[in-house]
Amino acid sequence: ARARDARGRAETRDRDRGGVRARWRARRSGSRGVARDAVWEPRAREKRGGDANDRAVATRGREMETFAHEGATTANLGAWLARRGVAVEKFDRARGTKNLEDLLIELKSGESVLVSERERASGENGGEMNEDARETCVRYVDVLTLRVRRPGSNAEDGMCLIEKEQIFGKNELKRRRNRPLSEKMNFGEHWRDCVERAVREELGSALGDDYVVETLEDTYKLCVSEEMSASYPGLRSRFALHRVDAIVHGLPDEDEFQSEETTHRGVLRATWRFEKFRWPETDPGPA
C-alpha cells in the first residue's frame, strides 16, 4: 500500500510539472467568492481529443480568490494588488514596463487571470483560513511561442525568426525582446487557432497577400514556467508555454525587416531578424 501511495504521489508530481496548462479555473463556494478548490485544466484541446492526462490535480491547503474584473477600474485593480504586496507604482510605461490599464485590459480580454492565495491553518480540504498568513497573488497566463521558419528550412540548423525589439507610439519607447514570436492566448482559444492569429497580428503587415501558415504539429511541446513578470515588476506570473514550429510562406526575402501592429497603446513597430535559436530547458514567459 505504501509503495502504491508513493508511486501515486510521484506520478502526480510528474504530471504537475510536465503536463499542466495554464487556464485557471476556480470552483467557488460561499458568499465571499473564496475558491475552495482550484484547477489548471487543458484548454479546448481536450475537447478535440487531447490527452486527458494533461490535467493538473487540484490545489489544496490554500484559500484562493480570483480578481473580479467585470466593472473594475484601474483604481480597484491597484488597490487589490497593493493589499497583496505588489508595488503597483513600478507599473510605468515611462520605465519601459506596462501599467495598470494594460493589465486590466489583459484581464478583461481573458488573456490572464489574477488569483490571490492564503495558506489554511490546518487540514487538506478543510480548516480555518489562517488570518496571520501573508496573502499573495499570482498571474496565470497561456502563451504561444512560435518558431517561424522559411519554406525549405532545416529544423536542425535552428534558424528562425527572432523579434529583436519593439517601439511604441510617438514617444519611441523601445523594448528589447530577443525571442521568437510570442502571443498570449485568449480564453478558450486552442493553440492551433492562436498560431494563425499570432502570425496575422504580429507579422501581417510584412507578409504577402497570399501568405500561408503551415503548422508543424509534431514539434509541439507544453511546459510550465514561473517567474516575476518583466512587464509588471513584482507580480509573480505562472506561464503555460505552448511551443511549436511553423513554416510561413510569403515572408519578406530580407533577413531583417519590420512589421507594424495597431494596439490600444498606439502603433507598435517590431524589428525581426532570422537567427539561430534553440529552445531552452525552461522558456520564460513573454511578459
Side-chain angles (χ1 to χ4, degrees), residues 76 196 238 247 264-265:
N76 300 145
E196 298 284 344
R238 291 176 190 165
I247 303 294
H264 69 277
R265 298 176 64 177

Side-chain angles (χ1 to χ4, degrees), residues 150-151 203-204 206-213 247-253:
R150 290 190 186 278
L203 300 174
L207 297 174
D209 293 336
D210 56 349
Y211 78 90
V212 175
V213 180
I247 303 294
V248 177
H249 303 258
L251 288 164
D253 294 333

Side-chain angles (χ1 to χ4, degrees), residues 150 161 164 252-258 271-274:
R150 290 190 186 278
L161 197 58
K164 301 302 293 181
D253 294 333
E254 298 79 11
D255 286 338
E256 180 172 324
F257 60 90
Q258 288 193 330
T271 299
W272 304 87
R273 183 186 302 160
F274 277 96

Side-chain angles (χ1 to χ4, degrees), residues 161-169 172-183 198-199 201-206 252 255-263 266-273:
L161 197 58
I162 299 295
E163 187 177 23
K164 301 302 293 181
E165 68 177 13
Q166 296 175 340
I167 302 177
F168 288 95
E172 299 293 304
L173 179 62
K174 290 187 178 182
R175 186 183 181 207
R176 299 291 179 183
R177 298 289 282 169
N178 289 315
R179 59 180 301 111
L181 189 157
S182 297
E183 183 74 15
V199 171
E201 292 182 0
E202 300 286 331
L203 300 174
S205 67
D255 286 338
E256 180 172 324
F257 60 90
Q258 288 193 330
S259 66
E260 290 189 354
E261 178 185 358
T262 301
T263 73
V267 176
L268 183 155
R269 285 178 291 148
T271 299
W272 304 87
R273 183 186 302 160

